[in-house]
């Protein structure tokens, strides 16, 4: 047999959780065609990769991103791919761009996901040639996709496109019978096009951008039970997924959404809910999440929590951080786009009094722990306060209240003062317990969003480090095979897409990583300008020594931690339709490299999964 690539001597994981072993892999035309304990014979044109001492694992699956905008102008998505992610799911949190026009997309994505609103408008205006879900998929497949994509259709997208953004965000408005029918048709069309399901949102501190509807919550939050039941019934019949976020201010909504997964006298509803987190502000709640999921699934549901398996550390420039949206005075400041008006508000004593009151109200559901002593200043024109907390600065200034110290510094330095805090997942022992919960999925990276606030692009590598460190210390909480499975095949199988495995006959989407470099470099802070966002500097991860190679469809898109010229220039990834196997995109055999490929890719759905 002639091979395009041979990978020799690596510790091979197949993504199913089965035992790993030292193997040699042969790849031809983008497919794994041989896995052998013995040597494979190289031909004259075979690339031979020495993987001795390294792990060869399936490409990781990221189940929760907001790359819907970035993929249009930067389809290589290198920040995820360089860390071993080869399959990316878009359309999370009720947000997608299947039916919205450009301005409404800017209003919905801009503030909620901290993506520059004008860029959203420009990108959708330039690329939007679609008027249906199937046409949207065709448009994606005309791009030089780096990773594979799978998609949810967003409820806010459908609702705003059907009712108009203004009516869709008014509490006294309901969709007419014709509008409800139109949303149901949109959902059905998306499922027919191979979408994963629908994402919705009940979380009330996701606020709109723009002028007309500014500071209203997302359209999906205004839907009543009947509207959602009718949409969910379509998902039930088609065995597709509902991804949602509950209203944490009303914990009963969380339990209600979890229970809706049950199929009592009807099909079960596959439900993926945000999120299992060890929240500093409510430390007891995490202990009930695993038992709740196990109980629902034992009763016949198909329910999963999404979980970020690393500390949830966030950064902020001044007051620009989504956690302030969860209480009135914080949201009031973020409502004001004009810097002069915002500064005037921050000086107002009545406003400060209200902020202090809400800061000190420690009871009740919340995400932020509201402790300015647990908020470290990391950048500031005044170097004397770097490394200190806002609370400590207040003490040094004569016992100033932490809120006043924070607001004073924001007034002094604006967005030039940068600070950080960890809001959840701060206890390593609890992270170990969450990691083995069968009702928990590892995900929720939010990749592509909150560009100045967080960077979890390498969360999979950091999770593998956590498991590997425990194994080396003799305190293993799971096998490495199980850890790899949780990031790969387990996710792909549950969502029904062709990814996450590395066996004979599978597409050669794989990562070669050096376990010796699963180290502290994975935690380091870096920034990098994003050309398609006007040079905005975003938080990124840089641990290039860890990832030796990433291959998608058997073609090398990352080498020694760095994206190759291929990534984003030629198409290696595909749109993954639920229940369909996808043939790989083999490399050209001879002649010059082709430019971006343009066929729709429907011909690559070669078989239907049973």
């Amino acid at each position: 047999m002639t091979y395009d690539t041979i990978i020799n001597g690596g510790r091979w994981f197949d993504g199913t959780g089965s035992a790993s072993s030292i193997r040699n892999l042969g790849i031809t035309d983008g497919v794994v065609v041989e896995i052998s304990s013995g040597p494979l014979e190289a031909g004259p044109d075979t690339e031979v990769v020495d993987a001795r001492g390294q792990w060869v694992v399936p490409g990781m699956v990221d189940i929760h991103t907001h790359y819907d905008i970035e993929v249009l102008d930067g389809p290589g998505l290198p920040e995820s791919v360089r860390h071993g992610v080869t399959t990316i799911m878009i359309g999370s949190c009720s947000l997608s761009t299947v039916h919205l026009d450009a301005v409404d997309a800017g209003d919905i994505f801009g503030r909620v996901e901290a993506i520059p609103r004008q860029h959203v408008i420009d990108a959708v205006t330039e690329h939007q040639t679609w008027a249906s879900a199937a046409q949207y998929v065709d448009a994606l497949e005309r791009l030089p996709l780096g990773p594979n994509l799978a998609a949810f259709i967003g409820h806010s997208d459908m609702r705003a496109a059907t009712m108009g953004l203004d009516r869709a965000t008014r509490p006294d408005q309901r969709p007419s019978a014709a509008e409800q029918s139109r949303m149901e048709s949109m959902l059905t069309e998306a499922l027919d096009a191979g979408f994963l399901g629908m994402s919705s949102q009940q979380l009330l501190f996701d606020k709109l951008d723009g002028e007309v509807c500014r500071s209203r919550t997302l359209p999906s939050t205004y839907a009543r039970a009947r509207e959602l039941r009718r949409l969910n019934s379509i998902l039930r019949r088609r065995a597709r997924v509902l991804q949602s976020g509950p209203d944490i201010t009303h914990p009963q909504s969380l339990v209600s959404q979890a229970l809706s997964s049950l199929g009592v006298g009807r099909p079960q509803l596959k439900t993926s809910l945000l999120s299992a987190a060890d929240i500093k502000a409510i430390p007891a709640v995490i202990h009930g999440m695993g038992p709740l999921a196990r109980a629902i699934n034992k009763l016949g549901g198909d329910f999963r929590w999404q979980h970020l398996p690393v500390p949830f550390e966030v950064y902020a420039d001044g007051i620009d951080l989504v956690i302030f949206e969860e209480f009135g005075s914080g949201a009031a400041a973020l409502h004001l786009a004009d810097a002069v008006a915002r500064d005037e508000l921050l000086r107002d004593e009545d406003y400060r009094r209200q902020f202090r009151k809400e800061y000190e109200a420690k009871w009740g559901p919340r995400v932020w722990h509201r402790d300015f002593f647990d908020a470290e200043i990391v950048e500031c024109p005044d170097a004397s306060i770097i490394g200190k907390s806002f609370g400590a600065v207040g003490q040094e200034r004569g016992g100033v209240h932490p809120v006043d110290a924070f607001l004073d510094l924001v007034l002094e330095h604006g967005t030039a003062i940068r600070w950080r805090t960890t809001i959840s997942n701060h206890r390593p022992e609890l992270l170990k317990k969450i990691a083995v919960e069968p009702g928990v999925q590892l995900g929720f990276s939010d990749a592509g969003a909150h560009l100045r606030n967080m960077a979890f692009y390498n969360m999979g590598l950091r999770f593998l480090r956590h498991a590997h460190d425990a194994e080396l210390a003799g305190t293993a909480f799971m096998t490495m095979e199980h850890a790899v499975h949780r990031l790969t095949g387990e996710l792909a199988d549950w969502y029904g897409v062709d990814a996450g495995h590395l066996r004979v006959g599978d597409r050669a989407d794989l990562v070669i990583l050096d376990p010796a470099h699963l180290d502290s470099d994975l935690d380091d802070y870096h920034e990098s300008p994003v050309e398609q966002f006007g040079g905005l500097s975003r938080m990124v991860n840089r641990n290039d020594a860890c990832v030796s190679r990433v291959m998608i469809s058997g073609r090398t898109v990352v080498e020694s931690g760095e994206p190759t010229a291929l990534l984003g220039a030629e198409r290696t990834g595909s749109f993954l339709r639920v229940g369909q196997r996808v043939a790989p995109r083999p490399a050209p055999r001879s002649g010059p490299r082709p430019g971006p490929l343009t066929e729709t890719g429907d011909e690559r759905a070669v078989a239907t999964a049973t």
Side-chain angles (χ1 to χ4, degrees), residues 14-16 57-63 84-89 147-150 196 484-485 487-503 505-510 552 574-582 609:
D14 69 0
T16 70
V57 305
M60 289 180 268
V61 180
D62 193 337
I63 63 174
V85 176
T86 61
T87 296
I88 286 170
M89 298 181 185
N148 305 299
L149 295 184
L196 301 162
V484 169
H485 174 59
L487 296 166
T488 58
E490 177 185 303
L491 300 172
D493 291 346
W494 195 80
Y495 287 92
V497 294
D498 180 21
H501 298 101
L502 194 59
R503 306 158 300 190
D506 286 325
R507 207 171 50 250
D509 298 342
L510 60 87
I552 300 176
S574 302
F575 186 88
L576 303 184
R577 296 163 175 83
V578 172
Q580 294 182 335
R581 286 186 62 83
V582 178

Side-chain angles (χ1 to χ4, degrees), residues 444-460:
F444 197 38
S445 77
D446 251 8
H450 305 290
L451 307 178
R452 296 286 301 149
N453 305 132
M454 59 185 72
F456 303 121
Y457 300 98
N458 70 349
M459 67 170 195

Side-chain angles (χ1 to χ4, degrees), residues 319 333 336 338-353 355-356 403-404 406-414:
I319 200 172
L336 299 173
D338 179 74
V340 173
R342 182 183 288 186
D343 286 353
E344 183 178 349
L345 178 69
L346 300 188
R347 291 188 182 95
D348 182 82
E349 182 51 40
D350 288 339
Y351 171 79
R352 289 184 172 222
R353 187 178 300 111
F355 200 130
R356 290 193 294 267
V403 165
D404 293 297
F406 170 72
L407 296 176
D408 287 344
L409 287 169
V410 171
L411 284 168
E412 289 174 35
H413 304 292

Side-chain angles (χ1 to χ4, degrees), residues 277-286 311-314 362 364 366-371 373-376 420-427 430:
D278 178 21
I279 304 172
K280 278 187 178 180
I282 323 173
V285 72
I286 188 61
F312 203 118
E313 184 180 51
V314 295
K362 300 299 184 183
R366 83 253 332 274
V367 171
W368 178 36
H369 46 71
R370 300 187 197 175
D371 181 2
F373 283 93
D374 186 5
E376 181 191 5
R420 68 181 176 189
T421 189
T422 299
I423 60 176
S424 65
N425 300 341
H426 52 295
R427 295 182 283 185
L430 275 177

Side-chain angles (χ1 to χ4, degrees), residues 19 69 136 190 237 239 588:
I69 306 303
Y136 175 71
R237 291 195 302 271

Side-chain angles (χ1 to χ4, degrees), residues 44-61:
D45 297 319
T46 302
E47 179 183 20
V48 179
V49 179
D50 184 0
R52 288 174 296 176
Q54 301 187 79
W55 297 352
V56 183
V57 305
M60 289 180 268
V61 180

Side-chain angles (χ1 to χ4, degrees), residues 278 311 425-434 466 477:
D278 178 21
N425 300 341
H426 52 295
R427 295 182 283 185
E429 292 308 309
L430 275 177
L431 284 179
K432 293 176 182 178
K433 292 181 179 179
I434 302 170
H466 194 197
F477 58 94

Side-chain angles (χ1 to χ4, degrees), residues 142-373:
R142 286 193 293 271
L143 298 171
L145 294 177
N148 305 299
L149 295 184
F152 292 96
I153 189 166
H155 182 218
S156 287
D157 178 357
M158 297 188 295
R159 199 171 205 266
T162 300
M163 300 175 64
L165 187 59
D166 181 44
R167 283 188 58 235
T169 54
R170 289 186 179 274
D172 60 341
Q173 295 293 308
R174 297 288 170 264
S176 66
E179 290 166 339
Q180 178 72 39
S181 178
R182 178 61 185 135
M183 282 191 280
E184 293 168 18
S185 295
M186 288 174 171
L187 177 55
T188 299
E189 291 166 1
L191 302 186
D192 289 344
F195 277 54
L196 301 162
M198 182 184 78
S199 64
S200 67
Q201 185 66 289
Q202 278 71 57
L203 190 64
L204 297 180
F205 63 72
D206 283 344
K207 305 292 177 63
L208 298 183
D209 209 335
E211 300 298 329
V212 176
C213 303
R214 187 173 181 82
S215 293
R216 299 180 193 176
T217 56
L218 288 172
S220 184
T221 65
Y222 294 87
R224 292 197 176 177
R226 180 178 180 274
E227 176 182 338
L228 292 170
R229 277 199 305 269
R230 291 186 58 168
L231 293 169
N232 288 347
S233 68
I234 298 172
L235 298 174
R236 291 179 190 275
R237 291 195 302 271
R238 300 287 294 271
R240 300 294 175 87
V241 176
L242 172 68
Q243 184 232 61
S244 190
D247 174 10
I248 63 170
T249 63
H250 295 86
Q252 66 271 22
S253 78
L254 185 154
V255 176
S256 175
Q257 282 194 298
L259 290 173
S260 70
S261 178
L262 294 173
V264 180
R266 58 185 178 177
Q268 62 185 192
L269 177 62
K270 295 185 76 171
T271 303
S272 177
L273 202 63
L274 305 180
S275 79
D278 178 21
I279 304 172
K280 278 187 178 180
I282 323 173
V285 72
I286 188 61
H287 298 288
M289 289 184 164
L292 177 61
R294 292 197 299 272
I296 289 170
N297 293 330
K298 186 175 182 179
L299 291 171
D302 196 354
F303 175 83
R304 302 291 187 275
W305 295 107
Q306 292 188 7
H307 166 63
L308 178 71
V310 300
F312 203 118
E313 184 180 51
V314 295
Y315 284 70
D317 299 315
I319 200 172
D320 290 330
L321 185 63
V322 70
I323 59 174
F324 290 109
E325 300 274 22
E326 72 176 351
F327 59 99
S329 52
L334 295 178
H335 172 76
L336 299 173
D338 179 74
V340 173
R342 182 183 288 186
D343 286 353
E344 183 178 349
L345 178 69
L346 300 188
R347 291 188 182 95
D348 182 82
E349 182 51 40
D350 288 339
Y351 171 79
R352 289 184 172 222
R353 187 178 300 111
Q354 182 63 27
F355 200 130
R356 290 193 294 267
K357 180 180 178 181
E358 290 168 339
Y359 172 86
E360 291 169 353
K362 300 299 184 183
W363 300 105
R366 83 253 332 274
V367 171
W368 178 36
H369 46 71
R370 300 187 197 175
D371 181 2
F372 277 127
F373 283 93

